[in-house]
């Protein structure tokens, strides 16, 4: 027996006579057994006619069997699952579903498509087959009779809701036409199902409508869903109206502006963008005094701009070039002020101390005053951090009445930062020097090149080499920036460079500069700077009056000695700022009580001192040397000790560099070979293992200036005699005992004064360097100059000093 025969014999028919707007359909026969097809997203309603698409596998057999039947009726059941299953379990399908008649089923591309015409609700009573094709027994629940008036009221309410939805979303119109072709407006049950199908409610809410058979209860639920849909549609319409209003306003403004441009152009009241650009550039250049070659290039580029289309990329490049070319202050110079007394007042106003530096700057300005111009000069200010290099450059600009422009070279690795990029590159710009001229609006500003000793190099070029042309007075009158590509005169610019050390500056670059050294400040100078500059500035920055917070002179001196011994004053300002902050806290707690900070209060404000009062190391084998660092001068104790007498040996510690190790070996060789001359045991080193140590082993040390200090320490242990106390020394030693000159005399003298070491031994060749020092640095210091180590020995071990002078 075939499946078709089985279906026909097992069917019971249920009929119902229906009229749809005059079109009579005789009787619909609905089967008691039917095949099921699960659908997701949303359930199907009896009032719907809609295409349905399912996968060919595993539902092709189900569609085939339905198509071979006489009734072509299929059951659609909702599956409430976000995940797609090829064949869900029978337990996942809803008990209530919709019987549909399928039309025009087609297979293509692994999919089956058919038109589903909703017929009636059904309820599954028995599962006959639990795997595809699903086969079940069903019943068709009848709707109970409802009160006519109440039913009519709900019907009218649903019709009104459908009309509202049609007004807000015209896309529903086709569905309404389809419905009216099959049912009349008085068919309440199909109307309720159709209203539910029009909403965008969730699948579970719509399934609840399918499950509700009593018509009034179903219409209540449908009406609630439609009210929600109306609210969503209303909000959507408001959003669309708001967006459309904004878009229309922008379009209207755009069209009006374009029309206004055309009208103004026709009346001669306005010009297009290109004409406006050309006129603006011509007006700018007319106000300048460019050289002839610059004017020629400008005219050429303006002609090119006039024939280019505004949408062309070349137009933007040419326009940007002309914008830069016309902002360089060609021929614009500020007038220099050569009043030396006024210049001295500016320097004294901004800086305390540094008298020798101020004198050197006044000499420089005097030379310019005599010539009538300050040009062709490059000043290099060298000194430790925080000694006022940058502020001195600013003071020079103020004294001359020139514009000041500063940029840092620290870490610069691309020569294009100096000489600019070529115009062919995207985002090309001129170099920093052309930008400085543009920002200062004159061709003779004071340009400070900060941190020139920290300039770098990379595969993009060497900026230090690019500076050779910039800082050469013979070449910078024809400086060529790659972007502008026209010769620019930088000879009127006063360049002031700053550096912490000279070692990293290329020698050809250094030769082009006039070096002025700033060695640092002694404690007395720091105290004056703190009173006159640092503390008033901090009080002003914090909004305090001097009477509200007072730091005594003794407290400032305590801060300098215990917390800020560096050559500069930057750390001193930080410590004072810390005191001011804590003073503000006290003022907020007790507003009417002024804060006074004395010596005894310093430790409460700043904690334990960073630097404690050092006792001069003394004893056999201990000698104090003087050293130079990038932070200024420093004292350095050197210790030598005999470890044992079993064998000869020499050991060095203290993280010494190669040069310092060589100095130690020279000192050891010289003392060992000349012990008899210096009243020591000639065989002392033959049987002694000697250890030479430079304290603060974590700090790297290098340089030749500790040679005489090391030799003195070795001679001390060989003679078993302590050197004279309170002596500090520096000098390079040779194998023949000659004492050679060293650098950094000023910094070393300042370091000795800081440690209250008043007797110094310096190389004879450095006598001139010492005598050039200001009187306030030499005052109270007894200095001995040594040509040979024998001079050092006679000073340190109690002999009458030879060639010693005392400065009063």
């Amino acid at each position: 027996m075939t499946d078709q025969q089985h279906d026909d014999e097992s069917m019971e028919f249920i009929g119902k006579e229906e009229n749809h707007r005059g079109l009579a359909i005789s009787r619909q026969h609905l089967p008691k057994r039917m095949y099921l097809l699960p659908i997701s997203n949303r359930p199907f309603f009896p009032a719907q006619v809609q295409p349905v698409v399912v996968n060919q596998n595993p539902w092709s057999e189900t569609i085939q069997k339905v198509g071979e039947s006489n009734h072509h009726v299929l059951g659609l059941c909702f599956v409430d699952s976000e995940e797609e299953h090829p064949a869900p379990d029978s337990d996942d399908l809803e008990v209530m579903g919709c019987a549909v008649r399928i039309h025009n089923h087609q297979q293509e591309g692994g999919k089956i498509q058919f038109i589903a015409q909703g017929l009636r609700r059904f309820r599954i009573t028995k599962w006959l087959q639990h795997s595809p094709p699903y086969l079940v027994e069903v019943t068709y629940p009848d709707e109970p009779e409802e009160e006519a008036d109440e039913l009519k009221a709900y019907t009218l309410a649903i019709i009104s809701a459908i009309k509202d939805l049609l007004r807000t979303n015209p896309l529903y119109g086709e569905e309404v036409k389809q419905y009216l072709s099959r049912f009349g407006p008085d068919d309440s049950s199909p109307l309720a199902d159709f209203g539910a199908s029009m909403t965008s409610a969730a699948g579970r809410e719509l399934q609840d409508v399918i499950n509700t058979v009593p018509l009034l209860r179903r219409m209540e639920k449908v009406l609630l869903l439609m009210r929600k849909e109306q609210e969503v549609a209303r909000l959507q319409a408001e959003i669309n109206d708001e967006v459309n209003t904004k878009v229309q306003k922008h379009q209207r403004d755009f069209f009006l502006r374009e029309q206004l441009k055309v009208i103004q152009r026709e009346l001669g009241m306005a010009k297009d963008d290109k004409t406006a650009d050309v006129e603006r550039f011509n007006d700018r250049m007319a106000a300048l005094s460019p050289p002839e070659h610059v004017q020629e290039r400008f005219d050429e580029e303006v002609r090119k701009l006039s024939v280019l289309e505004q949408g062309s990329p070349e137009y933007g490049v040419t326009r940007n070039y002309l914008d830069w070319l016309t902002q360089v202050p060609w021929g614009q110079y500020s007038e220099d002020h050569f009043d030396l007394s006024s210049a001295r007042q500016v320097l004294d106003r901004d800086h305390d101390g540094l008298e020798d530096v101020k004198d050197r700057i006044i000499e420089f300005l005097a030379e310019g005053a005599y010539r009538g111009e300050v040009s062709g000069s490059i000043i290099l200010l060298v000194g430790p951090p925080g000694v006022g290099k940058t502020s001195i450059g600013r003071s020079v600009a103020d004294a001359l009445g020139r514009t000041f422009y500063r940029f840092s070279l620290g870490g610069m690795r691309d020569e294009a930062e100096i000489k600019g990029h070529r115009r062919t590159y995207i985002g090309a710009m001129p170099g920093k020097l052309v930008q400085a001229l543009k920002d200062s609006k004159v061709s003779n500003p004071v340009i400070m090149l900060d941190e020139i000793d920290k300039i770098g190099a990379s595969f993009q070029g060497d900026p230090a080499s690019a500076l050779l042309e910039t800082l050469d007075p013979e070449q910078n009158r024809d400086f060529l920036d790659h972007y502008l590509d026209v010769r620019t005169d930088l000879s009127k610019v006063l360049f002031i460079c700053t550096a912490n050390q000279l070692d990293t500056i290329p020698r050809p670059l250094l030769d082009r500069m006039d070096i002025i050294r700033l060695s640092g400040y002694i404690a007395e100078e720091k105290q004056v700077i703190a009173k006159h500059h640092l503390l008033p500035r901090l009080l002003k920055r914090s909004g305090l009056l001097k009477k509200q917070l007072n730091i005594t002179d003794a407290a400032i001196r305590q801060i300098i000695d215990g917390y800020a011994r560096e050559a500069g004053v930057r750390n001193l300002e930080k410590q004072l700022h810390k005191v001011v902050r804590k003073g503000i806290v006290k003022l907020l707690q007790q507003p009417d009580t002024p804060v006074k900070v004395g010596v005894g209060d310093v430790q409460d404000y700043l904690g334990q001192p960073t630097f404690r009062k050092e006792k001069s190391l003394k004893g056999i084998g201990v000698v104090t040397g003087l050293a130079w660092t990038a932070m200024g001068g420093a004292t350095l104790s050197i210790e030598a000790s005999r470890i044992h007498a079993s064998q000869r040996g020499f050991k060095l510690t203290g993280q010494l560099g190669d040069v310092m190790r060589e100095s130690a070996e020279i000192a050891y060789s010289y003392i060992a070979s000349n012990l008899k001359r210096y009243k020591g045991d000639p065989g002392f080193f033959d049987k002694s293992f000697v250890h030479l140590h430079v304290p603060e082993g974590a700090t790297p040390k290098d340089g030749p200036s500790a040679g005489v200090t090391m030799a003195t320490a070795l001679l001390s242990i060989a003679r078993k005699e302590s050197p004279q106390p309170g002596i500090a020394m520096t000098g390079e030693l040779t194998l023949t005992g000659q004492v050679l000159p060293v650098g950094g005399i000023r910094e070393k003298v300042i370091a000795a004064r800081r440690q209250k070491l008043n007797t110094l031994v310096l190389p004879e060749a450095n006598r001139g360097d010492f005598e050039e020092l200001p009187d306030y640095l030499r005052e109270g210091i007894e200095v001995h100059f040594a040509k040979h180590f024998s001079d050092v020995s006679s000073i340190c071990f109690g002999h009458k000093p030879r060639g010693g002078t005392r400065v009063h």
Side-chain angles (χ1 to χ4, degrees):
M1 182 181 293
T2 64
D3 291 339
Q4 179 65 44
Q5 291 171 332
H6 179 273
D7 289 344
D8 291 343
E9 290 179 1
S10 62
M11 278 188 187
E12 296 180 4
F13 296 99
I14 301 171
K16 182 180 180 183
E17 187 73 30
E18 296 181 351
N19 287 320
H20 305 299
R21 301 189 68 179
L23 178 63
I25 299 178
S26 59
R27 182 177 294 273
Q28 295 183 350
H29 300 285
L30 299 176
K32 187 177 180 181
R33 294 181 181 178
M34 70 171 64
Y35 291 100
L36 292 186
L37 188 67
I39 57 174
S40 58
N41 296 331
R42 53 191 290 132
F44 205 91
F45 284 90
Q48 280 185 279
V49 176
Q50 190 170 309
V52 177
V53 180
V54 295
N55 291 325
Q56 191 170 343
N57 182 25
W59 308 116
S60 60
E61 186 178 356
T62 301
I63 302 299
Q64 182 181 356
K65 289 183 179 297
V66 173
E68 291 173 353
S69 67
N70 292 331
H71 49 74
H72 300 299
V73 175
L74 172 69
L76 297 181
C77 285
F78 177 63
V79 179
D80 188 13
S81 175
E82 294 182 358
E83 300 180 2
E84 291 189 5
H85 297 284
D89 295 336
S90 58
D91 295 338
D92 295 336
L93 274 69
E94 295 288 340
V95 176
M96 293 287 288
C98 179
V100 301
R101 179 170 285 118
I102 67 172
H103 304 276
N104 302 329
H105 68 275
Q106 299 176 354
Q107 298 185 15
E108 184 177 353
K111 301 286 185 181
I112 301 175
Q113 180 175 338
F114 58 87
I115 303 296
Q117 177 187 358
L119 301 176
R120 191 170 180 182
R121 284 173 174 75
F122 67 82
R123 179 181 285 111
I124 300 173
T125 57
K126 184 179 180 181
W127 279 84
L128 302 177
Q129 187 167 332
H130 291 270
S131 61
Y134 299 128
L135 184 63
V136 294
E137 287 186 358
V138 300
T139 60
Y140 300 93
D142 292 325
E143 299 171 358
E145 293 292 331
E146 305 286 357
E147 185 181 347
D149 292 340
E150 195 172 356
L151 192 64
K152 185 175 181 181
Y154 273 108
T155 301
L156 293 175
I158 291 177
I159 290 174
S160 176
I162 291 175
K163 289 180 180 179
D164 286 344
L165 286 177
L166 280 175
R167 280 194 293 269
T168 56
N169 191 347
L171 295 178
Y172 290 130
E174 289 299 322
E175 295 184 33
V176 173
K177 287 180 182 178
Q178 270 190 8
Y179 171 80
L180 292 176
S181 68
R182 299 173 58 223
F183 304 99
D186 297 331
D187 296 328
S188 300
S189 180
L191 183 65
D193 290 340
F194 175 68
S197 70
M198 289 180 67
T199 68
S200 58
R204 174 50 56 194
E205 293 178 314
L206 296 177
Q207 181 62 37
D208 188 32
V209 175
I210 291 285
N211 294 341
T212 306
V213 177
L215 188 53
L216 282 180
R217 283 177 51 204
R218 192 193 328 157
M219 294 178 87
E220 285 179 9
K221 294 180 179 182
V222 170
L223 207 53
L224 181 61
L225 294 180
M226 296 192 77
R227 293 294 183 218
K228 290 182 181 178
E229 193 70 19
Q230 284 177 297
E231 187 64 23
V232 171
R234 185 186 64 79
L235 291 174
Q236 184 178 1
E238 288 180 2
I239 293 171
N240 288 336
D241 289 344
E242 185 178 349
V243 172
N244 290 335
T245 301
K246 289 181 179 179
V247 171
Q248 290 171 1
K249 183 179 184 303
H250 289 160
Q251 289 178 339
R252 179 175 175 275
D253 291 346
F254 172 75
F255 288 127
L256 288 176
R257 278 195 297 268
E258 291 301 314
Q259 290 174 355
L260 182 61
K261 286 182 182 179
V262 173
I263 293 171
Q264 288 177 336
R265 219 168 24 244
E266 291 295 328
L267 295 175
M269 298 170 61
K271 306 172 182 65
D272 59 15
D273 293 341
K274 185 196 297 185
T275 305
D277 286 341
V278 170
E279 288 197 358
R280 184 170 70 254
F281 296 144
N282 280 324
D283 291 343
R284 280 188 193 171
M285 192 58 82
L288 303 174
S289 303
E292 184 178 349
H293 66 280
V294 175
Q295 186 67 48
E296 290 175 358
R297 172 60 66 87
F298 171 76
D299 294 339
E300 179 185 340
E301 294 294 330
V302 167
R303 283 194 296 270
K304 185 201 296 185
L305 187 73
S306 301
V307 299
L308 288 171
E309 291 294 332
Q310 284 185 265
S312 167
E314 185 67 20
Y315 182 88
V317 172
T318 305
R319 183 187 178 282
N320 289 339
Y321 175 79
L322 285 169
D323 191 31
W324 274 103
L325 188 66
T326 55
Q327 291 192 76
V328 177
W330 306 105
Q332 306 300 304
Y333 299 97
S334 60
E335 184 178 353
D336 289 335
H337 301 158
F338 291 118
D339 186 348
L340 298 185
S341 61
S342 174
R344 186 75 193 199
Q345 289 177 3
V346 171
L347 292 172
D348 290 338
R349 179 197 68 195
D350 296 340
H351 301 88
D352 283 302
L354 302 177
E355 297 301 324
D356 53 337
V357 176
K358 294 177 185 176
D359 291 341
R360 179 66 186 82
I361 291 173
I362 291 297
E363 292 168 9
F364 168 77
L365 297 178
E367 182 185 7
Y370 191 78
R371 290 190 307 173
E373 62 174 358
V374 176
S375 62
S377 301
I378 294 94
I379 297 175
L380 175 60
L381 301 174
V382 185
V387 296
K389 299 183 294 295
T390 304
S391 58
I392 284 178
R394 195 180 301 275
S395 298
V396 171
D398 290 345
L400 281 171
R402 290 193 182 188
T403 306
F404 180 77
Y405 185 90
R406 173 197 166 274
F407 68 91
S408 176
L409 298 174
M412 187 180 290
R413 296 179 175 273
D414 188 357
E415 68 172 9
E417 294 281 345
I418 303 296
K419 304 198 72 173
H421 304 83
R422 301 194 183 278
R423 270 204 289 169
T424 51
Y425 298 130
I426 295 175
M429 290 181 64
K432 289 285 188 183
L433 297 174
V434 172
Q435 293 181 39
L437 296 180
K438 169 183 173 272
D439 291 346
S440 59
K441 295 182 173 55
V442 289
S443 294
N444 62 337
V446 174
I447 297 180
M448 171 162 281
L449 308 178
D450 222 350
E451 311 291 356
I452 197 171
D453 57 327
K454 299 174 183 63
I455 198 167
S458 70
F459 66 93
Q460 295 170 312
D462 182 7
S465 299
L467 282 174
L468 291 176
E469 177 187 2
T470 306
L471 300 182
D472 190 337
E474 300 300 323
Q475 299 182 45
N476 62 13
R477 65 181 65 255
D478 291 322
F479 173 74
L480 183 65
D481 183 271
H482 289 158
Y483 182 82
L484 294 183
D485 201 26
V486 292
R487 300 289 176 180
T488 307
D489 185 6
L490 299 180
S491 62
K492 306 297 183 184
V493 175
L494 174 57
F495 290 100
I496 299 179
C497 308
T498 70
N500 296 130
Q501 56 188 358
L502 301 179
D503 300 346
T504 55
I505 303 176
R507 181 57 56 183
L509 191 58
L510 197 59
D511 289 343
R512 289 164 165 77
M513 303 179 189
D514 192 358
I515 299 173
I516 298 178
R517 296 182 180 272
L518 289 79
S519 303
Y521 301 105
I522 59 176
E524 290 79 5
E525 291 175 327
K526 285 186 177 181
Q527 185 159 4
V528 174
I529 292 171
K531 287 180 61 179
H532 292 174
H533 299 282
L534 302 183
L535 190 55
R537 185 164 66 218
L538 291 171
L539 293 175
K540 182 179 179 181
R541 191 186 304 167
S542 303
L544 294 176
L545 299 176
K546 190 175 180 181
K547 63 181 180 181
Q548 292 178 290
L549 177 64
N550 180 33
I551 305 177
T552 65
D553 293 350
I556 293 176
R557 184 57 182 262
Q558 176 68 18
I559 294 172
I560 293 169
D561 292 339
Y563 302 88
R565 288 190 186 177
E566 295 81 4
V569 294
R570 194 167 291 153
N571 189 46
L572 174 58
E573 183 174 14
K574 291 179 183 177
Q575 301 301 327
L576 291 172
H577 193 193
K578 189 182 296 185
V579 173
V580 170
R581 288 199 304 269
K582 295 192 176 182
I584 291 174
V585 174
K586 290 190 174 183
L587 283 172
L588 291 175
Q589 295 170 347
Q590 298 176 344
D592 299 329
T593 306
V595 176
K596 184 175 181 179
V597 181
V599 175
D601 304 319
V602 170
Q603 195 163 320
D604 295 335
Y605 281 84
L606 300 179
Q608 292 296 322
T610 307
F611 305 97
R612 296 189 179 274
K613 189 171 182 180
E614 298 178 0
K615 293 182 179 179
S616 297
L617 297 178
K618 54 186 178 180
I620 296 175
V622 180
V623 183
T624 301
L626 299 173
W628 179 92
T629 69
M631 300 292 291
T635 58
L636 206 63
S637 294
I638 295 179
E639 303 171 330
S641 178
R642 181 185 188 185
I643 305 303
H644 57 75
S646 59
Q647 64 177 1
R648 180 174 183 143
F650 186 51
K651 182 179 181 180
L652 291 171
T653 56
Q655 202 171 345
L656 309 182
D658 292 339
V659 176
M660 203 165 184
R661 284 181 171 275
E662 288 180 359
S663 295
E665 291 169 1
I666 291 172
Y668 179 78
S669 298
Y670 176 75
I671 296 299
S673 61
N674 291 278
L675 264 181
K676 184 177 180 181
R677 178 180 177 184
Y678 294 111
K679 300 180 181 180
D681 180 4
F684 176 81
F685 288 106
D686 294 338
K687 52 185 181 295
S688 300
F689 188 91
V690 176
H691 185 175
L692 185 70
H693 175 66
V694 182
E696 298 185 21
T699 305
K701 310 167 191 72
D702 204 2
S705 62
V708 295
T709 314
M710 292 176 172
T712 305
L714 292 172
L715 182 58
S716 174
I717 62 170
R719 291 174 52 128
K720 297 183 177 60
E721 182 181 351
S722 300
Q724 293 290 333
I727 295 179
M729 62 186 67
T730 184
E732 182 178 355
L733 184 68
T734 70
L735 275 175
T736 58
Q738 302 297 317
V739 179
L740 301 184
V742 293
I745 294 298
R746 179 189 176 102
E747 290 85 353
K748 293 175 180 178
V749 171
I750 291 175
R753 290 184 66 92
R754 197 179 298 132
Q755 295 297 328
K756 296 182 173 56
L757 296 171
N758 297 324
T759 303
L760 305 182
V761 179
L762 305 178
E764 174 65 35
N766 288 117
R767 182 186 291 269
D769 297 328
F770 179 80
E771 291 177 352
E772 287 181 355
L773 295 179
D775 292 340
Y776 70 90
L777 283 181
R778 294 187 295 159
E779 184 179 355
I781 290 182
E782 182 179 347
V783 61
H784 304 274
F785 297 101
K787 292 182 179 179
H788 192 273
F789 184 75
S790 58
D791 300 330
V792 180
S793 172
S794 63
I795 296 167
C796 292
F797 295 103
H799 302 290
K800 184 180 178 181
R802 292 181 293 177
T805 58
R806 183 174 183 86
V807 181
H808 298 283

